[in-house]
Amino acid sequence: MKFPLFILLSTSWLVSGQLDKLAKEAGLLYFGTAVDNPSLNNQNYLRVARDPLEFGSLTPANGQKWSNTQPSQGRFTYGSGDAIANIARQTGQKLRCHTLVWYNQLPGWVSSVYNRDQMQRIITAHIQNVAGHYKGQCYAWDVVNEAMEDDGRYRNNPMYRAMGVDYITHSFKIAQQTDPSAKLYYNDFNIERCCNAKINATIAMIRTVKAAGAPVHGIGMQGHSRVGMSPSKREMKETMARFSELVDEVAFTEVDIRHTKLPIGTAEREQQGRDYMEVVGACLETPKCVGITLWDFADQYSWIPQQYPGEGEACLWDRNYNKKPAYHSIVGLLQSAASAGLRTPGTPATVAAAAVTAEA
């Protein structure tokens, strides 16, 4: 069954609904968002973030990263991560935890370690403490983040220099031992558009890690992209089909689609809607795709302007907390998918691929 894109866009201002509620009705497990601590004093922001019908899961954008949880060796702090975990617990939202081992936002004391045994002990202690603190709270953990370069080489980070690929295997093993109920993910960017060197290398790495006895339950595709230059639904489906041969589930974990030139007009807003719909449609049509997480939902707290000066407006809500056309386009697609009954609600990893399409 087909849902022409021009129909969904032309009715975008007529549809209403809430993202997680509709995503579940369409067969996904959640539609979520990242939340960062500076936003927690903003009541306009919190009214949206705390709504479990809008967002079924929350991800601490920075609060659980190494620099925030163990800034100096043996001194663990959880206040930033706990602030968001507490919201999820109060509202009944899932907590998608992020991230245990990453080369960035890494304290200097870790970066100076070159000895294999010492690094292994450091990784073990870090995961045991951080994942142990959140044991039983996390639906999923991004255990290792961004271990591969775009050209397919392993990123030459401090962990890799000390242990080689074994640091990845070891991280997943310790994470499973520490929190056996959490889904354990490898997470990366530029692994959405089939099929580049990084995707091929990621597949080879996952096979190596699993062959060494480590559990990898999921692969997270971050989904940072640019309006008019985003991967197509077909390309993303091809990638997820390959990943699905290796793991139990896949997900879009950090989605934002930014404008590269500002200000923007109606055409650019509509194109952003089409690009977001390609992501959602690809997930709906992939049986093992369990959910979508936005890398924050409001332009006021987007990371894009600081990282990419002159670019932005990547989120579904503007700075005044108005929903953009892209939001309504997603709602329309989810409503259409739910009405067609193409996926069994709540069990995306066990049903046949949805036949939802979004064609211009």
Side-chain angles (χ1 to χ4, degrees), residues 65-360:
K65 291 174 179 174
W66 201 314
S67 59
N68 284 323
T69 53
Q70 194 187 180
S72 58
Q73 189 167 11
R75 185 173 69 85
F76 292 89
T77 60
Y78 299 109
S80 295
D82 285 354
I84 295 160
N86 290 341
I87 292 173
R89 183 169 57 252
Q90 293 162 7
T91 59
Q93 295 163 297
K94 294 182 186 298
L95 184 66
R96 198 178 183 288
C97 295
H98 174 83
T99 177
L100 290 169
V101 180
W102 186 33
Y103 76 94
N104 207 343
Q105 292 178 246
L106 192 67
W109 68 269
V110 182
S111 301
S112 63
V113 174
Y114 295 94
N115 177 274
R116 177 187 177 90
D117 291 341
Q118 186 181 3
M119 180 63 78
Q120 182 167 311
R121 289 194 297 271
I122 287 170
I123 290 174
T124 299
H126 183 74
I127 294 175
Q128 286 177 340
N129 277 275
V130 178
H133 178 80
Y134 292 102
K135 182 178 181 180
Q137 299 182 59
C138 303
Y139 166 75
W141 261 112
D142 290 329
V143 177
V144 176
N145 197 46
E146 300 175 6
M148 311 303 297
E149 298 280 8
D150 283 349
D151 63 5
R153 292 177 295 121
Y154 283 97
R155 192 179 296 277
N156 189 30
N157 62 42
M159 292 74 69
Y160 184 78
R161 289 195 295 271
M163 296 182 64
V165 68
D166 290 348
Y167 92 86
I168 303 175
T169 303
H170 181 70
S171 296
F172 277 95
K173 286 182 176 179
I174 298 301
Q176 184 189 46
Q177 294 169 13
T178 305
D179 191 356
S181 67
K183 300 287 187 180
L184 306 181
Y185 270 67
Y186 174 72
N187 190 56
D188 214 330
F189 63 93
N190 288 349
I191 58 169
E192 300 86 11
R193 190 192 305 271
C194 193
C195 284
N196 57 36
K198 189 172 189 177
I199 290 170
N200 293 333
T202 297
I203 289 170
M205 178 269 289
I206 297 295
R207 285 178 174 153
T208 296
V209 169
K210 294 188 72 173
V216 183
H217 304 127
I219 297 176
M221 300 165 294
Q222 292 182 8
H224 302 293
S225 59
R226 296 167 290 177
V227 172
M229 293 175 273
S230 300
S232 70
K233 180 178 65 176
R234 176 187 60 79
E235 290 170 323
M236 291 182 281
K237 285 176 60 180
E238 290 178 7
T239 300
M240 287 189 284
R242 295 187 67 190
F243 289 160
S244 294
E245 295 174 357
L246 302 174
V247 294
D248 299 333
E249 59 187 57
V250 295
F252 289 99
T253 55
E254 303 185 18
V255 178
D256 52 30
I257 304 178
R258 67 186 185 269
H259 295 280
T260 56
K261 293 182 180 180
L262 301 173
I264 59 171
T266 300
E268 291 81 8
R269 292 186 181 93
E270 290 183 351
Q271 181 62 51
Q272 185 182 51
R274 286 190 286 269
D275 292 341
Y276 266 105
M277 288 172 66
E278 292 289 280
V279 174
V280 177
C283 190
L284 287 169
E285 293 184 32
T286 300
K288 287 189 175 182
C289 188
V290 296
I292 298 162
T293 298
L294 306 174
W295 207 240
D296 224 315
F297 63 88
D299 286 338
Q300 182 178 5
Y301 295 105
S302 172
W303 69 297
I304 295 295
Q306 183 176 359
Q307 185 70 24
Y308 302 100
E311 303 183 20
E313 299 191 20
C315 301
L316 296 183
W317 277 256
D318 67 20
R319 296 182 65 86
N320 296 315
Y321 296 91
N322 298 309
K323 297 171 182 176
K324 299 181 185 178
Y327 173 96
H328 297 284
S329 296
I330 293 172
V331 165
L333 178 58
L334 292 172
Q335 287 178 328
S336 297
S339 297
L342 298 174
R343 291 182 67 155
T344 302
T347 56
T350 61
V351 298
V356 180
T357 60
E359 299 177 354

